[in-house]
Amino acid sequence: VGAAAGVGMGFVVVLLARDVLATRTAGGVDLITAARVSSVVQSCLVVLGVSLIVIVLTSVLAARGNVVRLIRRIEHPPLQPSRRVLAGAGAALCAGGIALAAVGVIVTNAIAIVAGPAAVAAGIVLILYTPSRAPALVLVACADTLAWAVLSMNVVPRAFTGLDIAVIIVEGVVTTTCALALANAVRRPLTRGVLAGSPPRALPIVLGLAYAGTARRRTFLITTMYAVVVFTISLLVTVAHLYANDVAALGRRLSGGADLEVTSNPAQPVSPNDVARLPGVVGVTPVAALNAEIRTGHAVASQGVTVMGIDAGFVGHGAPPLTEPGARNGSDVDAYRTVVRDPDTLIVGRDLRADRQSGLSKGALRVGDVVQLRNPTTGRARSLIVAGIAAAARYAGTDHIYVARSLVEELAGGPAATNVLFVATRPDANPDVLAAIIDGTHLPNGTYARSFDALARESLSAQRQFLDLSAGYAAVGLVAVLAGISVLMVDRVRERRQQISLLRALGFSRVTIRRSYAIEAVTIALEGMLTGVLTGCLVAWRLAARGSLGQPLAFSAPVLPLLAIVAAVLAATLASTLVAARRAGRLRPALALRAAE
């Protein structure tokens, strides 16, 4: 049943993502729906293997338990391993964690960088463990691990250059587990205070909070499931919100002072004077552009880019701001003037895709790096030095690089047509309306005009939609969480039949019992959800501030979507516990209190 549901969900995801990824901005990816029998069988075997391992371990633990306690459903006292065993396990964790963290720093692997110190912290707790020191040790270890998981993005920034799903899972598990441990330490004194000072009317609240503190191991597992799933959803929703709010800022980074870009057919380009005479236009900067390929070193693969041949008039009228102008150049203006004068230099965007498949196998380019630029049409190529890094230069589905106009003519093998115009407008003019007018009045020139705000929205639309789709896909994990809490609540009703019957015999109403179970479920769910939301926003804030999302983004929390997520999950939790609550209220005291029970 799970395999069939997974295949069906995969088909739905492909149908939803097809339009998102098929656009030019997203790279024109064409998704095909297919389900391999081998993949389905492999998935089933993996789940079967994990299930068997859990069953065998549970059986072994149960077989080693006290028979009377098992029959009477009495919890076994916690195991007390010897100091030698704890110290040995702690030393092993410390050694493995240090080795893992060192390897992670060397190869810039985010998973190892986060998981290694977490293992070291757990090992130190085991080495120093005593019952009296346990609370303080856990608090210190969790606080330090949580701080490292968040601040490691600044310590090793190159390891957190993308939102890989494995990195999200590890980051979510580590941060939410530590945050839950801290929340649990704070909840205990708060609960004791509420229980001590509650009026008689608050009896369901007292019972619910007291029940929430029982079966701590199972409760902690369910709470962790809630936290990890909600963490993933909150992180993706928050990142999508940050991209949505970054449209105007991205438009300014791309435009460099211009308001819209006009491209036309190189064989019959639009005249700059025709555009300059239109109402609302205050300046037109012509640029010669051609398509080329860029790569580094002896890489076999190469990446397609749009080469913009600029002159002195481009500086300040379409030149995107730089994040790294270079020590020799001093400023953005100096860097662009250097490129205009020296055809052996170029400026690339910080968002230029850099990996082995793209031809930039050494990673993101820096000032001083040497790259090879080649025109596939003429076969002409040149080696160039990076003179500056633009804050953003990727739009319309392609990366843009900036070189001297003379270099474009050299690569083209002759005079290059002025087929791109950067247009500046008056503050009261509407760039989108002006773009439509230019398109309509210059159809023979193959003109395509777009405002930089529209280009920014288009550039971010695929990312936002894909993140929203991923968040919806992650929300499916809530089904397992809700099923888990339903099983937990039903199991707790069975274990507490005599307690509930005794309360009913003492005069507690069915409504009080049902409400206490609802409050217990809400307490467990809220603790997990709030932890997941807060840690998700915390990680998103660090990713945005550090620039790990492609560029530094101003952080703001999507309050309404996050509240909607919490409300929806809370409503689903209450619905999933209704069966247990009703069963608890319907117990008949006389039958449940019999000795045969």
Side-chain angles (χ1 to χ4, degrees), residues 101 105 110-118 141-156 160 171 174-175:
V105 172
I111 297 176
I113 290 172
V114 174
C142 290
D144 292 343
T145 304
L146 180 61
W148 169 253
V150 175
L151 297 179
S152 58
M153 302 174 191
N154 293 75
V155 180
V156 193
F160 297 87
E171 189 80 29
V174 172
T175 55

Side-chain angles (χ1 to χ4, degrees), residues 486-503:
S486 300
V487 172
L488 177 67
M489 299 307 295
V490 171
D491 190 51
R492 290 191 175 193
V493 170
R494 292 176 179 175
E495 293 179 351
R496 300 172 186 161
R497 291 188 65 184
Q498 290 189 340
Q499 299 177 20
I500 296 171
S501 300
L502 182 59
L503 292 175

Side-chain angles (χ1 to χ4, degrees), residues 79 463 528:
L79 297 176
Q463 295 168 318

Side-chain angles (χ1 to χ4, degrees), residues 203-213 515-521 523:
L203 187 58
I205 299 177
V206 173
L207 285 176
L209 293 178
Y211 281 148
R515 288 178 179 175
S516 67
Y517 270 88
I519 291 172
E520 178 185 4
T523 302

Side-chain angles (χ1 to χ4, degrees), residues 230-266:
V230 175
F231 165 85
T232 305
I233 299 174
S234 301
L235 176 62
L236 296 174
V237 169
T238 304
V239 172
H241 172 74
L242 296 180
Y243 279 131
N245 288 348
D246 192 54
V247 169
L250 178 60
R252 290 191 296 270
R253 290 195 297 269
L254 294 174
S255 65
D259 293 295
L260 57 114
E261 180 193 66
V262 181
T263 61
S264 56
N265 186 356

Side-chain angles (χ1 to χ4, degrees), residues 357 375 381 404 416 552:
Q357 290 74 26
N375 185 352

